Amino acid sequence: MFNIIIGQYVPGQSVIHRLDPRAKLLAVFLFVIIIFLANNWVTYALAIIFTLLGVFLSKVPVRFIYRGLKPIIIIIIFTFILNVLFTKEGELLVSYGWFHIYEGGLIQAVFISMRLLVIIVATTLLTLTTSPIDITDGLEILLGPLKKIKLPVHEFALMMSIALRFIPTLLEETEKVMKAQSARGSDFTSGSLKSRVKAIIPLLVPLFVGAFKRAEELAMAMEARGYRGDVGRTRLRQLIWSLSDTFLMLVTLFLTAALFILRG
Amino acid sequence: MGKIIEVNDLCFRYYEHDPWTIDSVSLFVNEGEWLSIIGHNGSGKSTLAKCLNGLLLPEEGSVKIGGLDTRDELAIWDIRRQVGMVFQNPDNQFVGTTVKDDVAFGMENHGIPRNDMIVRLDEALKLVQMEEYAAEEPHRLSGGQKQRVAIAGIIALSPSIIILDEATSMLDPQGRQEIIETMRYLNKENNITVLSITHDLEEAIYSDRMIVMNQGKVLREGLPSEIFKEAKMLEDIGLDLPFTVKMRQALSKLGVPLSENALLQEELVEELWTLQSKI
Amino acid sequence: MDITIKNLTHLYHPNTPFERIALRDINLQIKSGSFVSVIGHTGSGKSTLVQHINGLLKPSRGEITVGDVTIKAREKAPRLKDLRKRVGLVFQYPEHQLFEETVEKDLCFGPMNFGLPLEEAKAKAHQALKLVGLPQDFLQRSPFDLSGGQMRRVAIAGVLAVEPEVIILDEPTAGLDPMGRRDILSLFERLHEEKAVTTIMVTHSMDDAAYYSDKVLVMDRGQVVMMDKPEHVFSDSKQLKQLGLDIPVTMNFLAKLNKKVHGQSVRPVFSIEETADAAIKMLRQGRGETGHV
């Protein structure tokens, strides 16, 4: 539960960890777009090398990346099978009753699964090497220009960071209420589906009531501490753009150009 | 000693047509003093606290902080910088994802330049002895530590007053002790005025002055020694008595001719010692 | 119901890198009908220990027997529901567990979970509300419209409605004002005296532990350091200090007086009246010995 909600940040000191979250966000964003340019072996190979290089440099154990992939793997396999079965291009390789596999279909299936795979690995790598709060900071600054068209970027970022801050608190609270209701004879783990759904109400109501009370008190405390939106605010957290960030940008741009040139 | 807070005929209620939650309250707070406000739950003391930094605005009467009126929209942010407030629940006032971020939150709001912020941050954390925890996340801290972080966040803005709104009531004895000691230090060394809303009578004994609230009104105002002479009144409005007062009553009942002055245990011991021959 | 704990060890997050010993080799016995206070520093394992008594937590090693139910490590716990019916647990800030639209419905929640039909559950609810000293017209009110102290009492009534034979209190008075505190504590004192309910109270207040209990259980870093009558536990002020605990205010006062008048040390007392008596005795003795006029 914990991992799903707050991302799977694995603290570390690698080159990738130390990159500015803005650079990582931009690079992953760009990468996810340009991967759609790839359409032959060379371009896919380039994209895969780029991704694997990232994984290698991050020094994050491969099992963490696998863990990020796990929920998606079914979808990838499913996409693979669909493409194999329904693309009828090129030479016929296998034929068995209504079941035909064409060369074009196989290649298409490999390409599309590759595309999904590198997209997931690249984004997983981002969340594995960047703490949620850094991602929030990075997003706030990157999306900063949108404030001009009155999008509540600052408020959104603050919301994110408060949500991150309160996740452990709310988990603790959930555990406590669950125990308290169990002590009063509630059963969360057995019985029919209907009775289990019913058992969840005594858990949810106190949690909601508690969360609203927290929200109210927190708002009061923030106001008391001089919070008035984005007006005249300074920041303690600072993102520092270094040479390696520029380098990452250059490599990503270079990859973009290469994909443009080498695509078939 | 100047008056740093002046409240005149303050009336407040949460909804129109409700009875007053605060009913014509007038009071003042002297610069540098430690003032305790006691009263049972629902006596209006926490509402009063929220009126003192403009979180709630008077319906009638006025609240002035260092001469600034809380209803003056231009002054309100200055007022909130002057008047720091520590609330009851340590969790529900911790905004930052780490100790450092939380202490900085108030400074960021008030637009303190980053360089200045870093210096103040260090100083404030040292004052509350939390410097080793700067990078810690809140769910790893005890209640007392979180409250100390809240105090650091206030101190960093160099306020003149800190209001403790039952800030120790959810803490264990050790946490309570830490907070009171920290606040005593700030009161003495940094000349910060302390207004403590509490039902911890053993804490109130040590204050310079006390106010007793009941049903939205100020019932009594005076020195702790004077207030605690009125044991009957305190019991009538649902408050307990400090240990020494109960002890004094029990001893008097047994015929020990005690005065009504002793409030600290040491004072009572001293007085008993002088009376030793008469017992 | 007697409670017997044998070699109980409890691990948090067992078999992970975060494994931590919460309780270490606990052995103790609580007699049916007694009032036991559990004291110790925050994090000493008090709450973890008491949550074993109604099977909310299972021992990682060792076993616990409550009445005729024994829960052993690595075995499926038997008849938990039956156990929880007989052992009520009032958590810290129990008002956070209220959830129904009316007080009556919330009070019926426990009894009905344990198999009572609605009408009987209602009867229990009414009794429980009376027990905690709230008027019957509260039954149809929403628990969320009540004051903090009243909510606390309703939540406690929700546990009492089940009529447990053992009641566990985890800091039942935390955050209450002095009057609320007195009310709650005298309620449990009454229950204990009149209905012989076995009462186990986790508390930070040495005064309450000393005043209300037959036995005091002192915990430190997951272990039981002492379990004895309050007069014995609190006569060892040196050890308590080492554990970061205080002595009751009555004894603290007598110790100060004793130092001043050079009286003889007195046996521990915890009520105001007894302390007054002891103080006078001490002064008379002191006068005799020092010849002070």
Side-chain angles (χ1 to χ4, degrees):
Chain A
M1 178 129 124
F2 215 64
N3 283 337
I4 301 168
I5 307 172
I6 60 166
Q8 325 98 310
Y9 177 55
V10 181
Q13 281 301 316
S14 77
V15 198
I16 306 285
H17 279 90
R18 278 179 287 142
L19 285 169
D20 189 307
R22 285 169 297 180
K24 282 190 271 190
L25 280 163
L26 279 175
V28 170
F29 183 65
L30 192 60
F31 182 73
V32 169
I33 293 172
I34 61 172
I35 187 72
F36 287 92
L37 291 171
N39 62 357
N40 57 21
W41 295 110
V42 187
T43 42
Y44 269 107
L46 270 180
I48 291 170
I49 291 173
F50 180 77
T51 317
L52 289 181
L53 197 67
V55 173
F56 174 74
L57 289 175
S58 73
K59 294 183 184 151
V60 172
V62 182
R63 69 194 152 92
F64 285 103
I65 293 178
Y66 172 70
R67 210 185 284 168
L69 277 177
K70 226 161 53 182
I72 316 292
I73 256 169
I74 305 277
I75 299 176
I76 295 179
I77 293 173
F78 189 65
T79 323
F80 185 88
I81 295 173
L82 278 187
N83 275 288
V84 167
L85 291 183
F86 295 110
T87 314
K88 301 178 172 25
E89 276 168 31
E91 207 176 308
L92 183 66
L93 296 178
V94 183
S95 177
Y96 186 82
W98 59 272
F99 182 81
H100 309 288
I101 295 179
Y102 293 87
E103 191 191 2
L106 198 60
I107 292 174
Q108 175 104 347
V110 171
F111 280 176
I112 289 188
S113 329
M114 275 301 147
R115 187 184 292 164
L116 272 174
L117 208 63
V118 287
I119 287 177
I120 305 293
V121 172
T123 45
T124 307
L125 193 61
L126 173 73
T127 54
L128 281 174
T129 61
T130 323
S131 72
I133 192 70
D134 277 341
I135 295 184
T136 309
D137 279 350
L139 276 175
E140 183 179 0
I141 297 177
L142 286 177
L143 300 178
L146 296 181
K147 285 177 194 166
K148 289 223 174 65
I149 56 166
K150 302 264 161 54
L151 277 182
V153 175
H154 160 75
E155 287 74 6
F156 178 73
L158 185 76
M159 237 167 64
M160 285 265 291
S161 78
I162 288 177
L164 290 168
R165 136 84 186 91
F166 274 96
I167 283 166
T169 313
L170 292 177
L171 284 177
E172 229 169 75
E173 180 119 339
T174 310
E175 197 196 325
K176 205 197 108 179
V177 177
M178 249 173 115
K179 276 185 177 170
Q181 306 300 29
S182 302
R184 290 209 280 166
S186 239
D187 194 344
F188 295 100
T189 50
S190 63
S192 65
L193 186 68
K194 199 180 149 211
S195 69
R196 275 200 225 188
V197 171
K198 242 179 112 187
I200 216 108
I201 295 170
L203 174 63
L204 285 186
V205 175
L207 283 179
F208 272 109
V209 172
F212 277 113
K213 186 160 179 269
R214 273 185 207 287
E216 211 172 284
E217 289 187 19
L218 188 71
M220 189 70 97
M222 284 169 66
E223 210 183 317
R225 294 173 71 182
Y227 181 71
R228 61 196 108 156
D230 204 11
V231 193
R233 240 178 155 251
T234 47
R235 300 170 60 94
L236 174 70
R237 286 183 163 274
Q238 226 180 14
L239 299 178
I240 298 163
W241 191 274
S242 64
L243 211 56
S244 50
D245 299 301
T246 311
F247 184 70
L248 173 66
M249 288 292 96
L250 285 175
V251 173
T252 319
L253 287 175
F254 178 77
L255 181 74
T256 312
L259 290 185
F260 258 116
I261 295 163
L262 296 172
R263 73 193 298 251
Chain B
M1 262 198 316
K3 290 177 183 164
I4 196 160
I5 297 181
E6 282 176 280
V7 178
N8 281 309
D9 293 318
L10 169 68
C11 292
F12 176 87
R13 58 188 157 192
Y14 286 93
Y15 303 103
E16 228 179 317
H17 310 304
D18 268 11
W20 295 113
T21 309
I22 301 288
D23 191 356
S24 342
V25 164
S26 295
L27 58 89
F28 61 89
V29 182
N30 293 319
E31 216 177 320
E33 78 174 334
W34 182 304
L35 174 68
S36 293
I37 299 185
I38 62 169
H40 64 88
N41 284 346
S43 60
K45 51 196 193 333
S46 278
T47 305
L48 175 65
K50 291 184 184 105
C51 289
L52 298 182
N53 66 350
L55 285 174
L56 301 174
L57 297 175
E59 189 170 325
E60 282 169 29
S62 69
V63 175
K64 284 193 177 132
I65 310 297
L68 299 172
D69 194 307
T70 55
R71 273 175 308 189
D72 178 354
E73 279 173 37
L74 294 173
I76 192 72
W77 304 109
D78 272 340
I79 289 175
R80 292 200 182 139
R81 198 172 159 169
Q82 287 303 309
V83 185
M85 198 151 161
V86 186
F87 295 88
Q88 183 178 23
N89 191 326
D91 255 321
N92 299 353
Q93 55 189 312
F94 203 112
V95 186
T97 38
T98 66
V99 167
K100 221 166 33 186
D101 291 314
D102 192 65
V103 176
F105 181 74
M107 293 192 277
E108 293 177 330
N109 293 335
H110 287 287
I112 290 174
R114 189 168 182 277
N115 291 335
D116 195 8
M117 204 187 296
I118 292 167
V119 179
R120 285 163 174 254
L121 182 90
D122 284 346
E123 285 171 1
L125 281 178
K126 262 189 207 123
L127 267 178
V128 301
Q129 301 183 334
M130 284 294 287
E131 66 266 38
E132 285 164 37
Y133 297 87
E136 206 63 75
E137 291 173 6
H139 61 274
R140 296 188 199 287
L141 304 178
S142 70
Q145 287 174 326
K146 279 181 215 160
Q147 292 299 60
R148 266 147 72 200
V149 172
I151 295 173
I154 292 166
I155 289 299
L157 291 166
S158 6
S160 20
I161 311 151
I162 295 182
I163 299 177
L164 303 175
D165 184 2
E166 294 183 32
T168 59
S169 72
M170 290 179 74
L171 306 180
D172 63 14
Q174 193 194 0
R176 195 169 301 164
Q177 193 62 32
E178 286 168 9
I179 300 303
I180 295 304
E181 271 165 24
T182 306
M183 289 311 301
R184 287 220 180 101
Y185 179 86
L186 292 171
N187 180 235
K188 286 231 167 57
E189 302 300 318
N190 298 29
N191 197 33
I192 284 175
T193 309
V194 178
L195 196 157
S196 176
I197 289 168
T198 183
H199 37 233
D200 185 345
L201 301 173
E202 306 297 333
E203 175 204 320
I205 285 177
Y206 287 92
S207 44
D208 298 319
R209 205 154 59 88
M210 280 174 71
I211 284 176
V212 184
M213 284 199 65
N214 191 41
Q215 293 179 337
K217 290 186 199 269
V218 171
L219 195 64
R220 288 287 189 284
E221 181 266 305
L223 300 174
S225 55
E226 294 166 4
I227 299 281
F228 287 119
K229 270 176 199 164
E230 301 189 64
K232 174 107 183 27
M233 178 271 294
L234 292 169
E235 280 181 326
D236 284 347
I237 61 163
L239 290 174
D240 209 0
L241 296 171
F243 168 75
T244 42
V245 177
K246 286 191 211 161
M247 202 61 222
R248 214 161 60 193
Q249 288 177 337
L251 285 165
S252 302
K253 228 183 254 171
L254 295 172
V256 182
L258 282 166
S259 76
E260 287 193 320
N261 297 322
L263 206 48
L264 304 180
Q265 283 189 31
E266 286 72 14
E267 292 169 356
L268 188 56
V269 165
E270 196 69 29
E271 205 180 325
L272 283 171
W273 180 67
T274 56
L275 289 173
Q276 196 172 14
S277 58
K278 299 190 187 119
I279 293 167
Chain C
M1 286 198 297
D2 289 337
I3 298 162
T4 309
I5 297 179
K6 272 190 214 148
N7 304 104
L8 185 145
T9 293
H10 187 86
L11 304 172
Y12 279 139
H13 314 290
N15 307 319
T16 71
F18 310 105
E19 180 174 304
R20 199 164 60 78
I21 295 195
L23 296 174
R24 192 193 299 267
D25 200 23
I26 307 265
N27 286 289
L28 60 89
Q29 242 188 334
I30 294 171
K31 280 241 155 50
S32 186
S34 56
F35 193 129
V36 177
S37 289
V38 187
I39 60 173
H41 225 251
T42 303
S44 59
K46 308 185 292 293
S47 297
T48 311
L49 176 69
V50 296
Q51 286 177 21
H52 278 82
I53 301 177
N54 70 345
L56 281 178
L57 294 176
K58 269 192 71 186
S60 305
R61 287 196 277 276
E63 59 176 74
I64 171 165
T65 306
V66 181
D68 53 359
V69 177
T70 300
I71 303 176
K72 287 186 180 151
R74 283 183 289 275
E75 271 177 32
K76 198 174 174 328
R79 295 189 287 138
L80 272 187
K81 208 153 186 170
D82 186 38
L83 178 66
R84 287 182 189 155
K85 181 174 183 294
R86 300 168 71 187
V87 181
L89 202 163
V90 178
F91 272 87
Q92 232 184 82
Y93 302 101
E95 57 274 23
H96 294 170
Q97 72 200 29
L98 300 173
F99 73 98
E100 279 285 12
E101 296 149 65
T102 66
V103 168
E104 186 176 44
K105 281 186 184 175
D106 211 287
L107 295 182
C108 289
F109 179 67
M112 287 175 72
N113 277 333
F114 291 118
L116 280 193
L118 181 64
E119 283 313 309
E120 282 180 47
K122 276 189 179 170
K124 301 276 185 215
H126 299 190
Q127 280 168 18
L129 198 68
K130 202 185 281 168
L131 215 51
V132 297
L134 290 175
Q136 297 290 312
D137 60 322
F138 269 51
L139 286 168
Q140 297 313 321
R141 289 174 68 176
S142 160
F144 299 106
D145 289 340
L146 307 178
S147 77
Q150 291 166 340
M151 281 171 85
R152 171 86 45 111
R153 284 202 244 173
V154 169
I156 289 174
V159 176
L160 296 182
V162 182
E163 298 186 325
E165 296 159 51
V166 178
I167 191 148
I168 303 167
L169 308 165
D170 196 346
E171 293 186 53
T173 60
L176 292 181
D177 63 13
M179 181 143 82
R181 219 158 48 214
R182 224 167 27 203
D183 288 350
I184 299 286
L185 286 172
S186 51
L187 162 71
F188 289 114
E189 189 186 23
R190 219 170 59 227
L191 270 178
H192 173 243
E193 275 170 10
E194 290 170 11
K195 305 200 170 170
V197 176
T198 312
T199 310
I200 300 164
M201 175 168 80
V202 173
T203 180
H204 279 297
S205 163
M206 300 305 129
D207 301 344
D208 295 343
Y211 185 78
Y212 292 102
S213 29
D214 308 322
K215 279 207 175 152
V216 177
L217 198 164
V218 189
M219 297 206 55
D220 183 47
R221 281 170 285 182
Q223 282 172 300
V224 173
V225 187
M226 273 188 268
M227 182 165 169
D228 211 333
K229 290 186 178 150
E231 18 315 16
H232 289 153
V233 167
F234 290 113
S235 59
D236 195 348
S237 62
K238 220 184 222 163
Q239 184 172 10
L240 288 171
K241 281 240 164 68
Q242 277 171 0
L243 300 173
L245 300 172
D246 259 326
I247 52 172
V249 61
T250 49
M251 293 183 57
N252 192 4
F253 172 74
L254 286 180
K256 278 180 187 157
L257 186 63
N258 200 10
K259 209 166 164 197
K260 188 81 188 176
V261 303
H262 309 288
Q264 285 163 353
S265 59
V266 286
R267 70 183 178 87
V269 286
F270 308 121
S271 74
I272 297 286
E273 289 72 26
E274 285 175 307
T275 310
D277 279 338
I280 289 176
K281 222 176 275 168
M282 194 181 273
L283 286 165
R284 288 190 181 136
Q285 269 172 11
R287 188 175 53 193
E289 281 178 19
T290 56
H292 178 90
V293 184

